[in-house]
Amino acid sequence: MPQLNGGGGDELGANDELISFKDEGEQEEKISENVSAERDLDDVKSSLVNESENNSSSSDSEQNERRPQPRADLESYEKAREYFTEALRRQQDGGFFKSPHYPGYPFLMIPDLTNPYLSSGALSPSARTYLQMKWPLLDVPGTAVLRDSRSPTPGQLSNKVPVVQHAHMHPLTPLITYSNEHFSPGTPPAHLSPEILDPKTGIPRTPHPSELSPYYPLSPGAMGQIPHPLGWLVPQQGQPMYPITAGGFRHPYPALAMNASMSSLVSSHFSPHIVPHHHHHGLHQTGIPHPAIVSAAIKQEPNGELSPAANSFLETDRYPKPLNAFMLYMKEMRAKVVAECTLKESAAINQILGRRWHSLSREEQAKYYELARKERQLHSQLYPGWSARDNYGKRKKRKRDNKTDSTPEDFSARHKKPCVQYLPQEKMIDSPASSHGSMLDSPATPSAALASPAAPAPTHSEQAQPLSLTTKPDRHHHFPLLSKPSSSSSSSSSSSASSSSYQPTSASGRQSTPPLLSRPLPLASLHASLLSPPSPFHQAALHSHHALFQSQPLSLVTKSAD
DNA sequence: GGACCTTTGAAGTCA
DNA sequence: TGACTTCAAAGGTCC
């Protein structure tokens, strides 16, 4: 079981966060991928039956008790996250994410004629964003100071303390073009030496250790133990990262000018109108803007007003939780699933993704676990004072707290899914993996997962349904009528019963109380709205990845089936 | 317009 | 410490 912990001591990432799921039988699984895909559809259909309706009413009190110290930019974080996800996957994906059509990696190969910062072919802003946003400590420390000394960004101008400049450098500063020279992964330009300009003299000098990320809690050494997601881009030995000089710093958010063609890679959620807007309430306790605070990429409309997303961000005043492994996987694969499937409902897509998640090999999952771990790491760096509790109750409205007392009828009419009616009952019984199954194989209990019943050679059905180690099948066994073809109301009603009655051994209790997430915040919606179609990389990957879609495109007809 | 659905995982709360 | 709750993304659906 791969230890995702990059060298131990990473409190942010669980050492054992790796699902041992179906480590054996992967070969068999692929043999029946087509069948699995079909079963996925069926299962999704069956799963469309509403399992439950739990109305949870939690007070919104004490929401403001704890506020993250820095004011960060959600979009900035999002964007960096996107880069990070893509970068890490590409680096680690071996064959899983093979993209022979883009051997040069999109970050470097995709031309961006519209991006003035890339006109020279220098390292794209996205890459820089990732490089420093995600790995601030791996970045050559002096560059930040240099950047600060040269770049007249508001945050930099306000920063008078060189020692902390790097630490407080906005994570998006790497987006700035440092140089007009072409980027060469293997041979960093000479000007990209780890030199820094003396803030006073302006003369390049070697960075002092004290200038190395004084802010971020992680030591460079600790960070260095973590495999860099951009290993393909980073010199493998000696130099942890391409030193990024400040020579080209012109704009703190060059990504704003990023070519839309890269949207699929970077999920360009940035509006080209983002302005290096200095956040008022973003001063760090030191008085120096935190990287997450400085120049929060508040979108601005052409008229200079804040975009709705920005306003929403300011209004909500909260920072999103770091994505977990599955969320990262979901974001990555959603487009693929959508592209291959006529199904558009996210709920159904998520079910497919959930099954695929379980069908992933441990190595494949490990990528995302590690990615998630780094996400949390970055998040903690950006928002040191942030706590998941801060977001509690931040949603516009809370879930209904009906729980068991809620009658099935309450939820039936609204949430029933027509497609359920077409589900073969057997499929329901053979339902997809559930969170329970994940729990059994949860990263926290890798050994148990290895010893789990899923390990044995899967039967034919198991091959088709690699997620045999699940509780959902049980659920359906317990509530076969849930998805039993019948009136739409029945499905929904049964769903409530299932949620209240079905009690998987999952420690999370998720099944007992299915989360009824409210709609994402406007920023999240914006994020979703910007979901771009599968990138060329994705499309290429479709042919090589997992072969789940090797068969004809999935066509899970839900409502249309009616 | 906004809640709901659906997934898994992380982190929080509570007994 | 275990059980439970909340939130993270996403976008169609429904009220």
Side-chain angles (χ1 to χ4, degrees):
Chain A
M1 192 80 288
Q3 283 297 325
L4 298 179
N5 186 350
D10 183 6
E11 296 176 353
L12 294 175
N15 294 336
D16 52 358
E17 58 179 6
L18 178 60
I19 291 175
S20 319
F21 196 88
K22 190 181 72 59
D23 36 70
E24 272 101 80
E26 287 184 24
Q27 302 303 326
E28 294 82 352
E29 174 190 359
K30 293 181 178 179
I31 294 174
S32 62
E33 286 170 348
N34 293 338
V35 177
S36 177
E38 294 177 354
R39 297 178 69 89
D40 283 345
L41 293 177
D42 293 337
D43 292 337
V44 169
K45 292 177 181 178
S46 63
S47 61
L48 287 175
V49 176
N50 298 294
E51 295 181 359
S52 67
E53 171 67 4
N54 283 330
N55 297 333
S56 63
S57 63
S58 61
S59 64
D60 293 341
S61 63
E62 71 181 2
Q63 293 305 323
N64 295 326
E65 292 179 357
R66 299 179 57 186
R67 289 259 56 80
Q69 297 176 356
R71 283 289 304 174
D73 177 29
L74 290 175
E75 297 179 6
S76 300
Y77 178 75
E78 275 296 318
K79 195 163 195 61
R81 173 189 293 165
E82 300 283 344
Y83 297 136
F84 183 80
T85 302
E86 287 291 336
L88 176 60
R89 285 196 316 96
R90 289 187 172 86
Q91 180 225 356
Q92 296 179 341
D93 275 345
F96 184 67
F97 288 101
K98 287 175 184 174
S99 180
H101 302 294
Y102 300 90
Y105 195 77
F107 283 172
L108 301 176
M109 299 301 294
I110 294 177
D112 188 351
L113 300 177
T114 62
N115 186 351
Y117 299 99
L118 290 178
S119 59
S120 65
L123 178 62
S124 68
S126 62
R128 293 197 186 91
T129 298
Y130 168 77
L131 289 174
Q132 287 190 342
M133 175 68 178
K134 291 295 184 181
W135 300 97
L137 296 181
L138 294 179
D139 179 20
V140 173
T143 59
V145 176
L146 175 60
R147 188 164 42 228
D148 290 340
S149 63
R150 293 182 178 179
S151 179
T153 60
Q156 293 162 355
L157 290 175
S158 64
N159 194 344
K160 302 295 184 182
V161 182
V163 139
V164 296
Q165 280 182 342
H166 177 68
H168 295 281
M169 173 187 66
H170 192 284
L172 288 181
T173 50
L175 292 173
I176 300 168
T177 300
Y178 310 116
S179 167
N180 292 331
E181 297 184 14
H182 289 259
F183 172 77
S184 177
T187 59
H191 74 278
L192 295 179
S193 62
E195 289 180 340
I196 61 173
L197 287 181
D198 188 301
K200 297 178 180 179
T201 63
I203 300 172
R205 60 182 177 82
T206 301
H208 189 274
S210 63
E211 298 173 355
L212 299 179
S213 302
Y215 184 86
Y216 293 144
L218 294 177
S219 64
M223 289 291 293
Q225 296 177 5
I226 302 173
H228 196 287
L230 285 178
W232 55 271
L233 181 64
V234 178
Q236 296 302 317
Q237 295 178 351
Q239 299 177 354
M241 176 71 72
Y242 281 116
I244 300 172
T245 64
F249 274 101
R250 300 181 183 87
H251 193 287
Y253 304 103
L256 300 180
M258 183 179 298
N259 190 328
S261 64
M262 297 180 67
S263 61
S264 63
L265 290 174
V266 300
S267 297
S268 179
H269 300 164
F270 279 130
S271 164
H273 309 297
I274 297 174
V275 174
H277 185 73
H278 207 132
H279 242 310
H280 308 75
H281 34 284
L283 283 181
H284 186 259
Q285 52 190 1
T286 61
I288 300 167
H290 184 275
I293 304 170
V294 176
S295 301
I298 300 301
K299 287 186 179 179
Q300 286 191 344
E301 300 300 334
N303 59 7
E305 295 178 355
L306 292 178
S307 65
N311 283 323
S312 174
F313 166 64
L314 295 176
E315 292 173 358
T316 56
D317 186 28
R318 78 189 202 7
Y319 311 98
K321 291 176 63 178
L323 301 185
N324 59 37
F326 177 73
M327 287 291 132
L328 294 171
Y329 171 78
M330 212 166 56
K331 290 190 69 172
E332 172 63 28
M333 299 300 296
R334 174 179 296 279
K336 296 177 183 176
V337 174
V338 172
E340 295 293 334
C341 179
T342 60
L343 183 64
K344 299 300 180 186
E345 295 183 52
S346 291
I349 296 295
N350 291 347
Q351 286 188 345
I352 295 174
L353 290 172
R355 308 183 102 204
R356 294 191 176 190
W357 171 254
H358 287 292
S359 67
L360 291 178
S361 65
R362 288 186 290 175
E363 292 75 11
E364 291 168 339
Q365 286 188 345
K367 301 171 188 174
Y368 294 96
Y369 279 114
E370 184 174 1
L371 182 63
R373 180 179 61 80
K374 292 171 181 174
E375 279 282 327
R376 295 192 300 274
Q377 190 175 40
L378 171 67
H379 194 275
S380 66
Q381 293 174 359
L382 294 178
Y383 320 124
W386 182 89
S387 172
R389 180 172 173 272
D390 296 334
N391 288 2
Y392 278 27
K394 284 304 177 71
R395 290 183 180 274
K396 303 244 178 203
K397 287 188 178 181
R398 307 305 304 277
K399 305 185 227 180
R400 290 177 294 177
D401 190 9
N402 292 341
K403 285 192 175 180
T404 59
D405 56 357
S406 65
T407 60
E409 294 76 6
D410 296 339
F411 199 59
S412 60
R414 178 182 176 184
H415 299 281
K416 62 187 175 182
K417 301 290 184 178
C419 65
V420 172
Q421 299 177 1
Y422 299 88
L423 287 175
Q425 188 167 356
E426 66 170 351
K427 297 295 180 64
M428 301 170 185
I429 295 173
D430 189 13
S431 112
S434 66
S435 59
H436 181 195
S438 175
M439 282 298 175
L440 293 175
D441 296 332
S442 87
T445 60
S447 60
L450 291 173
S452 67
T459 62
H460 177 70
S461 62
E462 287 174 342
Q463 294 176 5
Q465 200 62 239
L467 306 179
S468 60
L469 180 58
T470 65
T471 55
K472 278 191 175 178
D474 294 338
R475 174 185 58 195
H476 293 295
H477 284 298
H478 297 163
F479 305 96
L481 296 178
L482 279 175
S483 46
K484 181 178 182 178
S486 64
S487 64
S488 57
S489 62
S490 64
S491 63
S492 61
S493 64
S494 60
S495 65
S496 295
S498 66
S499 68
S500 60
S501 302
Y502 173 64
Q503 290 293 337
T505 57
S506 171
S508 65
R510 181 182 306 117
Q511 295 300 328
S512 62
T513 58
L516 299 178
L517 297 181
S518 59
R519 182 140 185 97
L521 292 174
L523 278 178
S525 299
L526 174 64
H527 196 121
S529 65
L530 292 173
L531 179 63
S532 60
S535 64
F537 168 79
H538 287 154
Q539 294 181 1
L542 287 176
H543 301 291
S544 60
H545 167 257
H546 236 227
L548 283 177
F549 293 122
Q550 286 180 351
S551 63
Q552 61 275 17
L554 302 177
S555 63
L556 176 57
V557 178
T558 59
K559 194 164 187 176
S560 61
D562 295 341

